[in-house]
Amino acid sequence: MKTITKKMYLLTLFIMLTAIVFAQSSISGIIKDTDGMLLPGVNVILEGTTKGAVSDMDGAYVITNIENGTYTLLGSYLGFTTFKKSVAIDGSDITVDITMVEDSESLDQVVVTGVLNPKSRIESSVSVSSIGVNQIAQSAPRSSGEIFRNIPGVRAETSGGDGNGNYNVRGVPVSSGGTRYLQLQEDGLPIMLFGDTSFGNPDNFLRIDANTARIEAIRGGSASTLASNAPAGIINVISKTGAVEGGSVATTYGLDFQSSRLDFEYGTPLGNGLSYHIGGFLRTGEGPREIGYQGNKGGQFKANITKRFETGYVRVYAKLLNDRAAMYMPMPMLLEGSDADPTYANLPGFDITTDSQHSVNLQQNAGTSAFDGQPHVGDLRNGNNPRSTSIGAEFSFDLGNDWSFVGKGRYSNNSGEWLAPFTANVGAFADVAATAAGASGATGALVYSDGNREAFNPSNGLAQIIHVFDVSIDDMSNFFGDAKISKKVNDNINLTAGMFTAIQNTKTSWQWGSFLSEVKGGGNARMVDFDGFSRNGQYAYGTPVWGNCCQRKYNTVHSVNSPYLGADIDITEKINFDGSVRFENVKVNGVIAGGPTSQGNFDYNGNGTIEGIEQVVPIVSGNDGQNINQEYSFTSYSFGLNYKINDGAAVFARYSKGASGRAADRNGYDQFGQSSTNYDEVRQIEVGFKKRFENGSLYLTAFNSNTDEDAGSALNLTVGNEFTATGLELEGSYNMSDFSVVGSITYTNAEIVEDRSSGTGVNKGNTPQRQADFVYNISPRYVFGKSKQHSFGLAILGTSKSFAFDSNDLVQPGFAYFNFLGSVGLTEGLSVSLNINNMFDTVGITEVNGIDGPSINGEDRYVRARSITGRSSSLSLQYKF
């Protein structure tokens, strides 16, 4: 009997222990945003445990094997406020659906760009920002680059139109234009290998439209090691993926300028783990400046399809881009006052905020092809015309046993044209004509090239030499691949190894021409001929005022293999360390002809007679050019510590050393095809503080950067200095019911430590050109209505004064301009919006190319410069479904 009782006792005990062991439950649910869109990739965890999950492409998540108890459920996603809810487990499975509220400034954002592993912003030792759909719309952008002005620490010069912008970050210089030290990405891969290839800047091939889900930006930090040629930072444009059925269609019309645009997008899940998204835009119009013809014409189409598995997903995507945009180059202005306190003003008949050198009378440029020496004709109406057909794929899988794999690859077939008129000289018409004639040998009386060819006698007494930048982009195709594998060694250590590969073609030909024109706006300036010498205003097939520098060809291929390693270690519950190292290995070969290989007679029109304009024609022909065969490598590293003071505050520190390689046309080569400098280094220190308040957040980062840049070639300019910059970056947000505001201000004290460009060192100690002490932005927004369907918002963007040149002898005044967006909901899903860019028609000088001639009246002078475009207004009707 005792034996039976003992056995029963043991059996009962076993059953109870089994019940305890197996009394484990699950939490599952669906995750959406406030608009009902399903959110994949949301990180869901039980606070204080190692249990968690990531939502799939249908927004679903499940956390299993949870023991009984009370927990705090946390859901975090970049651009959204962290979801937090207390849940009690008592042996039953429960369902908790999550609604994420958009908040691009939340400390709980999950950082996914330029980091080894996704983690919340408060736990990360990098400076990162996110721009959501609402903030993109509120900035009232006329180009992709204008959106980037909302990123702290970024000074974006986008006065040239849609593309070809110049960007500097935290004092890392704008030495050769473009994004030399900053990488622009689409869906985690570079758009171009180099950010400053002449007329092949990555933003030329970037159009932000309704396909965009958000923009992530990282300054400094681990960008040095987790991307190529990106020590200053990364800007990543992330596409929608169709996780939930829905879309939108919008039509936009210019109210005070000629423009019409159609945007559309639609996405939906198909079942069985499949979802897709498609969208794009079409547009046509003259654009916000008067140029005399349809300068903005074309569009883009993007599509992706995703298959979700239990352990990961596969995504395939494609893009078709063929868009034309007018490019606005430095143009004639009046410089009033002293160099230290100047005013940039209009010339008679020419408005610097609404006019351009473009004209209905200047539509063609003639020259010789730099590849075969044969006649070439470029159509200026094509402007900046990027053409791209790309296809890519993305893979992400949990391999089990704490191993994971992420892979991305994309091939882009890129080509196009780049044509724009550039004012090379401006002044009294007799002086300008004498300059043109002296350089080219032109003779003959000055007459208008159209109509009855009457004598040239402009009402304002002015003329300009226009150099037409005419570049054929024959091949800028590229392939990028990035694959990494991670192993979670234990709860505290995660190791990552990856490989980035790239092939970048650069085949371009330059065939520039010279024209004589009156100085007049309205898009109808008339061309001027030297009678019997010029042809339709073109007096030279090259650029004799510049020594015929610009008949060139580049035909190179860069190949890159970059392995990288990283570790992410939780030293304690509050202290996190992450470090990474990258080994960049580059090969470049090809042919470069950096100037004409011959100059002389060329029977351009084939009539058997060498006429005046045909006597000195620059040509690059046959197999002329220099062979390039170069290999180089460098190592980058970055490491940082983050100390989480509490759930609402943290401090971090980071040191990084990275470099940016040189594009094919930004370097000089010796007779053996070798270059003295292949890359330029950037060293950075950052110390930051992050704080969350009840209704807002604050981020404060102190930084120091040192850029070591050797002299090189940028068109016909020699550049190269050693720079240092120290500053403070402040970013914050405030949200109180229906009112919210986000903004940032960055102070930068930059200096030229060593002047290598002038040969005399005279600029040592000066402030680098176009580097302002302060750049800032602030965006208040108010929403109202029964369902918050109405909104009004401003975006105020500004900069303090800067210097036009490294010599610091001419000031570019500071300025601030206001953008406005007002939206009214008419019915459910239907809204009308008014968009005003540069409301008060502010003049903002972003670049000065040169001053021509002596003073006009003892003080005022003629200058060639670029201003931001003046006020432009548009009306949009949008339907979301």
Side-chain angles (χ1 to χ4, degrees), residues 1-175:
M1 187 70 180
K2 290 183 178 180
T3 302
I4 295 175
T5 302
K6 184 177 180 181
K7 288 182 178 180
M8 288 297 296
Y9 172 78
L10 291 175
L11 179 61
T12 302
L13 180 63
F14 175 77
I15 293 172
M16 292 176 62
L17 290 174
T18 302
I20 292 173
V21 170
F22 288 98
Q24 296 181 332
S25 308
S26 67
I27 302 174
S28 62
I30 301 296
I31 305 176
K32 301 179 180 179
D33 65 10
T34 52
D35 292 329
M37 176 178 287
L38 298 172
L39 292 177
V42 178
N43 192 39
V44 185
I45 64 171
L46 293 179
E47 189 176 28
T49 76
T50 60
K51 294 186 178 298
V54 177
S55 61
D56 62 20
M57 293 307 299
D58 297 318
Y61 77 95
V62 58
I63 304 174
T64 59
N65 298 326
I66 307 172
E67 297 178 2
N68 291 343
T70 300
Y71 303 90
T72 298
L73 184 68
L74 299 178
S76 57
Y77 193 58
L78 185 62
F80 291 83
T81 300
T82 294
F83 174 88
K84 183 180 292 188
K85 183 176 182 179
S86 178
V87 293
I89 300 297
D90 59 1
S92 302
D93 296 339
I94 64 172
T95 299
V96 179
D97 292 331
I98 296 174
T99 298
M100 304 293 291
V101 179
E102 185 175 356
D103 180 6
S104 62
E105 299 302 316
S106 172
L107 275 172
D108 299 308
Q109 296 174 34
V110 176
V111 180
V112 297
T113 297
V115 295
L116 289 170
N117 298 288
K119 63 176 64 176
S120 68
R121 190 171 182 179
I122 198 171
E123 296 174 326
S124 176
S125 56
V126 296
S127 297
V128 66
S129 298
S130 176
I131 302 176
V133 174
N134 289 335
Q135 192 175 356
I136 291 174
Q138 188 172 335
S139 64
R142 290 176 294 207
S143 67
S144 301
E146 288 191 346
I147 300 171
F148 302 154
R149 291 175 179 169
N150 294 280
I151 300 170
V154 174
R155 185 172 188 267
E157 299 174 356
T158 58
S159 54
D162 206 341
N164 215 56
N166 299 322
Y167 306 86
N168 75 331
V169 183
R170 292 178 172 177
V172 177
V174 182
S175 51

Side-chain angles (χ1 to χ4, degrees), residues 591-611:
V591 177
I592 291 177
T597 56
S598 65
Q599 299 184 55
N601 295 342
F602 183 82
D603 186 9
Y604 190 90
N605 60 4
N607 66 355
T609 302
I610 300 298
E611 299 166 2

Side-chain angles (χ1 to χ4, degrees), residues 741-761:
V741 60
V742 298
S744 70
I745 182 169
T746 302
Y747 167 73
T748 306
N749 180 17
E751 180 183 336
I752 299 173
V753 177
E754 182 179 351
D755 177 11
R756 298 166 179 164
S757 58
S758 66
T760 62

